[in-house]
Structure formats: C-alpha cells, structure tokens
Amino acid sequence: MGKSLGETIRNIVKNYVDDSNPADYIYATIVSIGSSNCSIKLEKTGITIPSSMVDIPEGLSKKKIKIKIEGITYDAEVDAQLKAGDRVMVVKKLGGQKYAIIGKVS
C-alpha cells in the first residue's frame, strides 16, 4: 500500500529542512583578516567561507572612543579585534549565502 498524502508531505518538508541545513549557530575559525575583510573556516564541515560572505560586527574591531570621567574627557582605544586562529561563533542566513560573526569564543 502507498504512502498517505500527509506522510508524503511530511517527508518532502523534512527533506527540504535537512537539505537547507538550518542552524542556530556554527563554530568557525578565523583564517585571514584584514581591515575590511575576514574569511572563516567552519568547524563542522571544514569549508572556508570567503570574506565577501562574512559580516563582522563593529564591536569586534579596534576603535578609538572618548570617555568622560568627572567632567574630564579622555581618549581611549578599545581593541577587540579578531586575529587569525581565533575561534568564533557565527549565524548563517538560511541557504548559506551570508554568515555573521556574533562573538569570539574560547
């Protein structure tokens, strides 16, 4: 006897979800990084993602800030810059066309 329509639909949806490989987060390693680019290597698959597909948040960079303490303004530099070899957590856009680094992990 053949499959029911409901079972066939469930199988189609399951196969679609499995093939699209959705993920809440993925671990990766920084392969190379420059002033405006960053390529990463995904831990699970070993695939290297080029910089054109990777977004880096502003908080993971080196920047100058001003701090005001008791009325006196100081210049400071915050260096949260990523380096080659750093382990990061990324999220992947459904379909895998874009990855966003969300933080550095140890």
Side-chain angles (χ1 to χ4, degrees):
M1 184 174 267
K3 295 181 184 180
S4 70
L5 179 60
E7 190 175 339
T8 301
I9 292 171
R10 273 192 296 278
N11 285 336
I12 291 170
V13 171
K14 181 186 179 309
N15 289 338
Y16 172 77
V17 171
D18 289 346
D19 290 344
S20 67
N21 196 19
D24 293 335
Y25 58 87
I26 302 166
Y27 291 105
T29 302
I30 302 294
V31 175
S32 65
I33 189 151
S35 60
S36 63
N37 60 31
C38 173
S39 62
I40 59 174
K41 183 175 183 179
L42 305 180
E43 286 185 4
K44 187 174 181 181
T45 62
I47 295 172
T48 298
I49 307 300
S51 62
S52 62
M53 296 174 62
V54 179
D55 291 330
I56 307 170
E58 191 175 301
L60 292 175
S61 63
K62 187 178 199 179
K63 61 183 172 180
K64 295 182 181 198
I65 61 171
K66 293 190 181 289
I67 301 173
K68 192 171 193 176
I69 301 173
E70 296 180 1
I72 301 172
T73 302
Y74 299 92
D75 290 327
E77 187 172 86
V78 177
D79 186 0
Q81 198 168 358
L82 295 170
K83 298 166 195 63
D86 283 349
R87 187 170 185 238
V88 293
M89 186 180 295
V90 300
V91 291
K92 174 182 76 167
K93 182 178 177 185
L94 190 61
Q97 297 301 311
K98 201 73 166 168
Y99 294 78
I101 296 173
I102 57 172
K104 191 172 162 180
V105 294
S106 44

